[in-house]
Amino acid sequence: MPGVDAVLLGPYDLSASLGKMGQIDDPKVVAAIARVTDACRSVGMPLGYFGVSAAAVRPYVERGYTLIVAGVDTTLLAGAARGLLAELRG
């Protein structure tokens, strides 16, 4: 499509669009991700992936995805707050 420079897959949004909210490992969602991956690779389109953790995005980095978004601001903030509280209590 003219004007599209890259594709960033959001598996949670995609799963919701497919009627499988939050089920990112559902075969229908996995197949859709594979279809987008194949389409992007066939035209040399840069491809990215969003995941909530390093472990979630690592397989996509290994598959050659180059645009990676890892983590959620609220989760990162909560983790830092728990760490600070543990230090204060320790």
Side-chain angles (χ1 to χ4, degrees):
M1 171 172 271
V4 175
D5 297 318
V7 172
L8 178 65
L9 282 169
Y12 292 95
D13 292 338
L14 179 59
S15 70
S17 295
L18 295 172
K20 303 285 185 172
M21 187 174 288
Q23 301 173 46
I24 63 171
D25 294 323
D26 182 88
K28 189 174 181 180
V29 177
V30 172
I33 291 171
R35 183 173 177 212
V36 171
T37 300
D38 292 345
C40 288
R41 287 196 172 141
S42 73
V43 295
M45 175 78 62
L47 185 57
Y49 190 83
F50 164 81
V52 296
S53 66
V57 298
R58 189 169 291 116
Y60 295 90
V61 171
E62 291 169 356
R63 292 180 199 159
Y65 285 54
T66 56
L67 306 168
I68 299 298
V69 179
V72 179
D73 56 353
T74 54
T75 304
L76 296 169
L77 182 59
R82 277 192 301 276
L84 178 59
L85 182 58
E87 278 185 60
L88 291 170
R89 289 182 173 165

